[in-house]
Amino acid sequence: MSLDLESISEATSGAVGALLSTTILYPLDTCKTKYQAEIRAHGQQRYRNLSDVFWEAISTRQYLSLYQGLGTKNLQSVISQFVYFYGYSSFKRLYLKKSGSKSIGTKANLLLAAAAGACTALVTQPLDTASSRMQTSAFGKSKGLLETLTEGRWSEAFDGLGISLILTSNPAIQYTVFDQLKQRLLTVKQSTGSSPEALSAFSAFMLGALSKSIATVLTYPLIRCKVMIQAADENDDAAKGTQGKRKKTMAGVLFAIWRKEGILGYFKGLHAQILKTVLSSALLLMIKEKISKATWIMILAIRRYLFLSRVKKNYK
């Protein structure tokens, strides 16, 4: 029973951290996504840098459009982080129980994190696709969640699923690096007589930033490819009136990037991706570290309350 409660505690604190970090950084995320989704020859680019997206929203007085799709993104973030942390925590405890080991090696940790990431992608892919379409729609013209998901075939809600499954290596690398660095830092603290119970907010932030930077650089070409596959078409209405929406494929998008932007196009927006994801992941892990103990105490209190209520009921 304790295994389940500890997994739920990990998942809950991770979900709360995701909700807060996503909301705080959402305007940056919208600008980053629209910038990544554009693929044009260098002389025809609408957005020459990340700030162009932001100033477009300001100049057209579409300030609130920087938050278009926030509800869907928050829902997707909370569910994905809950599923990921619950699966990751459960898989780790199951592995330790079955293997009889006291610790998990790097290779096993990567496999467990990838398995948790795959489960997360399967559950949340429609929300991920919908949020990308909302963010890349013209400012002020974003549709609601239900309308976005039902405007095409149901299979289109899973656009980019294959890449999402490949990209499970991203959080796998991130959380493995974070866990390994965290354990080493806590071991150093313990050897110097400091409290080894939890990381400080600053340490958690720095470790989160470093681990996410490594994962982002290694997987960025696929990250941009997925955004472009999921992005809303600028001429959706015209396309519907003629031959319908053309299916985007990973090979097609990668070739289009090469043809129009060259090899550097695979890394267009890398600085924006690192800025957003590093801040987001660092905030998430920092918040999770600081509230995990309180979450565990709250879950134990609820469990005790339910137990006492059941005992009283049996005595009546």
Side-chain angles (χ1 to χ4, degrees), residues 70-138:
L70 175 60
T72 299
K73 192 71 171 183
N74 271 336
L75 179 61
Q76 186 254 336
S77 295
V78 169
I79 294 176
S80 64
Q81 291 301 322
F82 186 91
V83 173
Y84 182 85
F85 278 110
Y86 184 83
Y88 184 51
S89 178
S90 296
F91 290 155
K92 284 201 302 183
R93 296 180 190 284
L94 183 61
Y95 174 84
L96 291 174
K97 181 179 179 180
K98 294 294 184 180
S99 65
S101 304
K102 294 183 178 180
S103 61
I104 301 176
T106 302
K107 291 183 179 180
N109 215 345
L110 278 170
L111 290 175
L112 296 178
C119 293
T120 303
L122 291 171
V123 171
T124 63
Q125 188 64 30
L127 292 174
D128 185 35
T129 300
S131 64
S132 291
R133 289 179 185 169
M134 291 176 178
Q135 287 182 309
T136 53
S137 296

XYZ file of all heavy atoms in Angstrom, residues 70-138:
514
model
N -4.208 28.035 -23.300
C -3.617 27.821 -21.974
C -4.333 26.724 -21.201
O -3.699 25.876 -20.572
C -3.640 29.123 -21.168
C -3.158 29.018 -19.708
C -1.718 28.536 -19.650
C -3.303 30.363 -18.996
N -5.676 26.730 -21.255
C -6.436 25.710 -20.522
C -6.092 24.308 -20.989
O -5.890 23.397 -20.172
N -6.013 24.140 -22.311
C -5.676 22.823 -22.866
C -4.249 22.426 -22.501
O -3.980 21.281 -22.147
C -5.827 22.841 -24.401
O -7.182 23.150 -24.724
C -5.456 21.495 -24.999
N -3.339 23.391 -22.573
C -1.941 23.106 -22.243
C -1.792 22.734 -20.772
O -1.031 21.816 -20.428
C -1.080 24.338 -22.551
C 0.424 24.051 -22.519
C 0.828 23.205 -23.707
C 2.337 23.089 -23.818
N 2.738 22.321 -25.020
N -2.514 23.430 -19.905
C -2.451 23.103 -18.483
C -3.016 21.714 -18.214
O -2.461 20.949 -17.415
C -3.226 24.144 -17.663
C -2.356 25.317 -17.259
O -1.139 25.206 -17.174
N -2.981 26.456 -17.008
N -4.137 21.403 -18.864
C -4.734 20.074 -18.696
C -3.760 19.002 -19.168
O -3.552 17.988 -18.486
C -6.040 19.997 -19.484
C -6.801 18.655 -19.429
C -7.202 18.338 -17.995
C -8.025 18.702 -20.342
N -3.146 19.249 -20.326
C -2.178 18.295 -20.856
C -0.954 18.170 -19.944
O -0.461 17.063 -19.693
C -1.746 18.724 -22.255
C -0.845 17.722 -22.960
C 0.602 18.166 -23.028
O 0.904 19.355 -22.968
N 1.503 17.215 -23.149
N -0.484 19.294 -19.417
C 0.701 19.279 -18.546
C 0.437 18.525 -17.253
O 1.253 17.709 -16.819
C 1.135 20.716 -18.232
O 1.570 21.375 -19.383
N -0.723 18.800 -16.640
C -1.041 18.146 -15.371
C -1.194 16.644 -15.561
O -0.623 15.840 -14.807
C -2.327 18.746 -14.762
C -2.811 17.900 -13.590
C -2.084 20.173 -14.304
N -1.958 16.241 -16.583
C -2.168 14.814 -16.824
C -0.862 14.121 -17.186
O -0.545 13.046 -16.657
C -3.213 14.598 -17.938
C -4.586 15.092 -17.475
C -3.302 13.115 -18.304
C -5.655 15.011 -18.533
N -0.079 14.740 -18.078
C 1.156 14.101 -18.522
C 2.161 13.962 -17.385
O 2.799 12.913 -17.241
C 1.779 14.888 -19.678
O 2.178 16.174 -19.262
N 2.283 15.014 -16.570
C 3.230 14.923 -15.463
C 2.768 13.944 -14.395
O 3.582 13.224 -13.813
C 3.448 16.312 -14.850
C 4.209 17.270 -15.751
C 5.579 16.758 -16.129
O 6.273 16.139 -15.319
N 5.983 16.996 -17.363
N 1.449 13.902 -14.146
C 0.933 12.938 -13.167
C 1.185 11.521 -13.653
O 1.688 10.675 -12.908
C -0.560 13.148 -12.928
C -1.118 12.282 -11.823
C -1.144 12.750 -10.516
C -1.590 11.008 -12.076
C -1.635 11.956 -9.481
C -2.081 10.204 -11.058
C -2.108 10.682 -9.761
N 0.831 11.251 -14.919
C 1.032 9.915 -15.477
C 2.517 9.565 -15.499
O 2.916 8.452 -15.144
C 0.437 9.827 -16.901
C 0.804 8.493 -17.559
C -1.076 9.980 -16.858
N 3.358 10.547 -15.891
C 4.787 10.270 -15.981
C 5.379 9.963 -14.606
O 6.060 8.949 -14.425
C 5.537 11.433 -16.625
C 7.006 11.140 -16.765
C 7.486 10.442 -17.866
C 7.906 11.489 -15.756
C 8.828 10.118 -17.976
C 9.250 11.159 -15.865
C 9.696 10.477 -16.973
O 11.025 10.138 -17.062
N 5.158 10.857 -13.650
C 5.763 10.652 -12.333
C 5.207 9.415 -11.636
O 5.937 8.705 -10.946
C 5.562 11.889 -11.453
C 6.564 12.977 -11.719
C 6.187 14.156 -12.331
C 7.884 12.820 -11.365
C 7.104 15.159 -12.580
C 8.820 13.808 -11.605
C 8.426 14.982 -12.222
N 3.915 9.136 -11.829
C 3.335 7.942 -11.222
C 3.949 6.692 -11.851
O 4.345 5.750 -11.156
C 1.820 7.924 -11.397
C 1.158 6.753 -10.700
C 0.850 6.810 -9.346
C 0.863 5.576 -11.391
C 0.261 5.735 -8.694
C 0.285 4.500 -10.756
C -0.014 4.584 -9.416
O -0.589 3.516 -8.781
N 4.019 6.690 -13.208
C 4.594 5.539 -13.890
C 6.071 5.365 -13.573
O 6.534 4.255 -13.297
N 6.809 6.473 -13.580
C 8.248 6.416 -13.320
C 8.529 5.920 -11.898
O 9.379 5.051 -11.680
C 8.847 7.803 -13.536
C 10.346 7.890 -13.392
C 11.191 7.020 -14.061
C 10.923 8.878 -12.587
C 12.560 7.113 -13.948
C 12.302 8.978 -12.466
C 13.109 8.096 -13.150
O 14.473 8.191 -13.020
N 7.795 6.460 -10.931
C 7.972 6.044 -9.541
C 7.580 4.576 -9.356
O 8.280 3.813 -8.685
C 7.137 6.936 -8.622
O 7.261 6.530 -7.275
N 6.465 4.180 -9.962
C 6.002 2.801 -9.834
C 6.974 1.824 -10.482
O 7.284 0.763 -9.913
C 4.616 2.649 -10.476
O 3.657 3.430 -9.803
N 7.450 2.163 -11.681
C 8.392 1.288 -12.379
C 9.691 1.135 -11.587
O 10.280 0.053 -11.530
C 8.695 1.839 -13.777
C 7.542 1.740 -14.733
C 7.444 2.610 -15.813
C 6.553 0.790 -14.556
C 6.377 2.519 -16.701
C 5.479 0.689 -15.431
C 5.393 1.562 -16.513
N 10.160 2.237 -10.983
C 11.395 2.162 -10.196
C 11.231 1.249 -8.991
O 12.095 0.413 -8.716
C 11.814 3.561 -9.730
C 12.448 4.417 -10.794
C 13.274 5.546 -10.215
C 12.472 6.451 -9.326
N 13.293 7.583 -8.829
N 10.112 1.399 -8.295
C 9.891 0.569 -7.098
C 9.696 -0.898 -7.471
O 10.163 -1.795 -6.768
C 8.690 1.104 -6.318
C 8.911 2.505 -5.783
C 7.709 3.034 -5.007
N 7.882 4.441 -4.734
C 8.690 4.948 -3.796
N 9.380 4.119 -3.036
N 8.799 6.245 -3.612
N 9.008 -1.144 -8.592
C 8.807 -2.519 -9.049
C 10.138 -3.145 -9.451
O 10.405 -4.316 -9.139
C 7.840 -2.528 -10.233
C 7.468 -3.911 -10.802
C 6.778 -4.745 -9.731
C 6.569 -3.755 -12.024
N 10.982 -2.364 -10.117
C 12.300 -2.858 -10.528
C 13.151 -3.220 -9.307
O 13.784 -4.281 -9.277
C 13.009 -1.796 -11.370
C 14.433 -2.149 -11.732
C 14.711 -2.950 -12.832
C 15.498 -1.681 -10.954
C 16.024 -3.283 -13.160
C 16.803 -2.017 -11.278
C 17.052 -2.814 -12.381
O 18.363 -3.151 -12.679
N 13.168 -2.346 -8.306
C 13.954 -2.605 -7.101
C 13.441 -3.840 -6.362
O 14.222 -4.635 -5.818
C 13.917 -1.380 -6.179
C 14.652 -0.133 -6.682
C 14.418 1.040 -5.743
C 16.152 -0.402 -6.838
N 12.120 -4.012 -6.360
C 11.530 -5.162 -5.666
C 11.866 -6.463 -6.377
O 12.209 -7.469 -5.751
C 10.012 -4.981 -5.577
C 9.304 -6.109 -4.842
C 7.806 -5.848 -4.766
C 7.100 -7.001 -4.042
N 5.628 -6.763 -3.967
N 11.761 -6.457 -7.706
C 12.002 -7.674 -8.480
C 13.480 -8.025 -8.551
O 13.858 -9.202 -8.514
C 11.456 -7.502 -9.900
C 9.934 -7.366 -9.981
C 9.229 -8.643 -9.566
C 7.722 -8.522 -9.745
N 7.016 -9.757 -9.343
N 14.330 -6.990 -8.670
C 15.759 -7.248 -8.814
C 16.471 -7.457 -7.485
O 17.540 -8.054 -7.436
C 16.423 -6.085 -9.561
O 16.355 -4.887 -8.787
N 15.874 -6.943 -6.404
C 16.506 -7.045 -5.095
C 17.654 -6.078 -4.913
O 18.376 -6.146 -3.912
N 17.823 -5.169 -5.846
C 18.898 -4.176 -5.754
C 18.489 -3.028 -4.838
O 17.315 -2.800 -4.588
C 19.235 -3.623 -7.145
O 19.570 -4.667 -8.029
N 19.492 -2.306 -4.357
C 19.234 -1.145 -3.521
C 19.272 0.153 -4.308
O 18.855 1.203 -3.821
C 20.250 -1.077 -2.375
C 20.119 -2.229 -1.377
C 21.096 -2.061 -0.227
C 20.938 -3.175 0.792
N 21.886 -3.021 1.930
N 19.775 0.092 -5.535
C 19.845 1.277 -6.382
C 19.634 0.872 -7.840
O 19.707 -0.313 -8.187
C 21.200 1.978 -6.224
O 22.256 1.106 -6.604
N 19.366 1.876 -8.678
C 19.105 1.640 -10.096
C 20.248 2.212 -10.919
O 20.632 3.373 -10.740
C 17.781 2.298 -10.523
C 16.634 1.729 -9.683
C 17.506 2.064 -12.003
C 15.298 2.381 -9.975
N 20.776 1.412 -11.820
C 21.845 1.865 -12.686
C 21.346 2.832 -13.751
O 20.136 2.975 -13.965
N 22.276 3.456 -14.439
C 21.917 4.454 -15.453
C 21.108 3.854 -16.592
O 20.104 4.421 -17.023
C 23.189 5.107 -16.019
O 23.927 5.708 -14.953
C 22.835 6.169 -17.041
N 21.524 2.693 -17.101
C 20.810 2.067 -18.224
C 19.389 1.690 -17.827
O 18.433 1.936 -18.584
C 21.571 0.842 -18.708
C 22.890 1.161 -19.388
C 23.558 -0.098 -19.901
C 24.875 0.223 -20.604
N 25.560 -0.997 -21.110
N 19.231 1.076 -16.658
C 17.892 0.687 -16.196
C 17.026 1.916 -15.975
O 15.825 1.922 -16.291
C 18.012 -0.126 -14.906
N 17.639 2.980 -15.451
C 16.903 4.215 -15.206
C 16.392 4.814 -16.508
O 15.260 5.308 -16.591
C 17.817 5.220 -14.496
C 17.053 6.067 -13.497
O 15.829 6.119 -13.510
N 17.785 6.741 -12.629
N 17.218 4.775 -17.544
C 16.811 5.283 -18.854
C 15.641 4.491 -19.419
O 14.688 5.060 -19.963
C 17.988 5.232 -19.824
C 18.992 6.383 -19.750
C 20.213 6.062 -20.585
C 18.348 7.683 -20.218
N 15.698 3.174 -19.286
C 14.621 2.326 -19.806
C 13.317 2.562 -19.049
O 12.236 2.637 -19.655
C 15.026 0.849 -19.709
C 16.134 0.383 -20.664
C 16.523 -1.056 -20.372
C 15.659 0.516 -22.109
N 13.390 2.705 -17.742
C 12.198 2.946 -16.937
C 11.593 4.304 -17.259
O 10.365 4.453 -17.359
C 12.543 2.864 -15.449
C 13.023 1.500 -14.941
C 13.376 1.572 -13.462
C 11.956 0.429 -15.170
N 12.452 5.312 -17.419
C 11.967 6.644 -17.753
C 11.337 6.662 -19.141
O 10.315 7.317 -19.376
C 13.116 7.649 -17.679
N 11.922 5.923 -20.084
C 11.368 5.852 -21.437
C 10.016 5.150 -21.430
O 9.088 5.556 -22.148
C 12.342 5.131 -22.362
N 9.880 4.109 -20.636
C 8.604 3.398 -20.536
C 7.520 4.308 -19.964
O 6.382 4.335 -20.455
C 8.760 2.161 -19.658
N 7.867 5.081 -18.944
C 6.912 6.029 -18.366
C 6.553 7.107 -19.381
O 5.386 7.521 -19.481
C 7.509 6.660 -17.103
N 7.539 7.555 -20.161
C 7.284 8.565 -21.184
C 6.381 8.054 -22.287
O 5.527 8.785 -22.800
N 6.547 6.788 -22.683
C 5.697 6.198 -23.718
C 4.250 6.115 -23.252
O 3.321 6.422 -24.015
C 6.220 4.811 -24.088
N 4.040 5.718 -22.009
C 2.681 5.669 -21.456
C 2.062 7.069 -21.455
O 0.882 7.241 -21.785
C 2.714 5.117 -20.029
S 3.193 3.380 -19.910
N 2.856 8.059 -21.105
C 2.382 9.445 -21.070
C 1.984 9.932 -22.459
O 0.941 10.561 -22.629
C 3.469 10.359 -20.495
O 3.830 9.903 -19.191
C 2.982 11.793 -20.404
N 2.810 9.637 -23.468
C 2.526 10.081 -24.834
C 1.231 9.481 -25.355
O 0.424 10.172 -25.998
C 3.693 9.713 -25.750
N 1.005 8.221 -25.097
C -0.208 7.559 -25.564
C -1.460 8.172 -24.948
O -2.492 8.325 -25.608
C -0.140 6.058 -25.237
C 0.888 5.237 -26.023
C 1.007 3.837 -25.448
C 0.504 5.176 -27.500
N -1.374 8.558 -23.679
C -2.537 9.095 -22.970
C -2.835 10.541 -23.365
O -3.998 10.932 -23.523
C -2.326 8.990 -21.437
C -3.423 9.734 -20.686
C -2.288 7.526 -21.007
N -1.804 11.338 -23.549
C -1.993 12.788 -23.703
C -1.774 13.336 -25.112
O -1.862 14.540 -25.308
C -1.034 13.540 -22.750
O 0.327 13.262 -23.122
C -1.265 13.115 -21.317
N -1.515 12.477 -26.110
C -1.212 12.975 -27.455
C -2.309 13.875 -28.047
O -1.997 14.916 -28.635
C -0.942 11.799 -28.399
C -0.424 12.229 -29.767
C 0.933 12.912 -29.691
O 1.729 12.611 -28.815
N 1.189 13.831 -30.608
N -3.605 13.537 -27.919
C -4.637 14.439 -28.461
C -4.581 15.839 -27.857
O -4.757 16.838 -28.567
C -5.945 13.718 -28.112
C -5.571 12.281 -28.047
C -4.200 12.267 -27.431
N -4.334 15.941 -26.558
C -4.232 17.249 -25.916
C -2.985 17.986 -26.370
O -3.006 19.211 -26.553
C -4.222 17.086 -24.392
C -5.519 16.606 -23.745
C -5.309 16.358 -22.252
C -6.632 17.618 -23.962
N -1.908 17.263 -26.570
C -0.670 17.865 -27.049
C -0.859 18.436 -28.455
O -0.437 19.560 -28.754
C 0.443 16.804 -27.048
C 1.795 17.383 -27.412
O 2.068 18.539 -27.030
O 2.580 16.685 -28.071
N -1.516 17.671 -29.321
C -1.785 18.125 -30.684
C -2.693 19.345 -30.678
O -2.461 20.331 -31.395
C -2.439 17.004 -31.503
O -1.559 15.872 -31.551
C -2.740 17.456 -32.925
N -3.757 19.293 -29.865
C -4.709 20.409 -29.805
C -4.044 21.686 -29.312
O -4.276 22.770 -29.863
C -5.880 20.047 -28.894
N -3.214 21.589 -28.293
C -2.561 22.785 -27.762
C -1.600 23.387 -28.782
O -1.497 24.620 -28.901
C -1.814 22.461 -26.455
O -0.755 21.542 -26.679
N -0.908 22.539 -29.553
C -0.012 23.056 -30.586
C -0.795 23.774 -31.684
O -0.375 24.826 -32.179
C 0.804 21.910 -31.204
O 1.735 21.391 -30.273
N -1.929 23.226 -32.078
C -2.760 23.868 -33.093
C -3.296 25.211 -32.593
O -3.359 26.191 -33.344
C -3.927 22.959 -33.479
C -3.527 21.729 -34.279
C -4.723 20.870 -34.596
N -4.335 19.637 -35.269
C -5.152 18.616 -35.475
N -6.415 18.676 -35.064
N -4.731 17.530 -36.096
N -3.696 25.260 -31.339
C -4.202 26.511 -30.774
C -3.112 27.583 -30.742
O -3.340 28.745 -31.080
C -4.730 26.270 -29.363
C -5.997 25.441 -29.297
S -6.472 25.107 -27.574
C -7.986 24.181 -27.822
N -1.919 27.190 -30.320
C -0.826 28.153 -30.211
C -0.375 28.676 -31.567
O 0.036 29.833 -31.685
C 0.363 27.512 -29.493
C 0.155 27.317 -28.002
C 1.375 26.720 -27.345
O 1.908 25.708 -27.789
N 1.830 27.329 -26.275
N -0.436 27.826 -32.605
C 0.055 28.237 -33.922
C -1.039 28.830 -34.800
O -0.762 29.237 -35.934
C 0.697 27.041 -34.649
O -0.233 25.938 -34.668
C 1.969 26.604 -33.935
N -2.270 28.904 -34.291
C -3.335 29.590 -35.033
C -3.043 31.091 -35.036
O -2.324 31.604 -34.174
C -4.689 29.333 -34.377
O -5.035 27.965 -34.434
N -3.620 31.801 -36.022
C -3.446 33.251 -36.068
C -3.945 33.860 -34.770
O -4.924 33.381 -34.176
C -4.209 33.835 -37.254
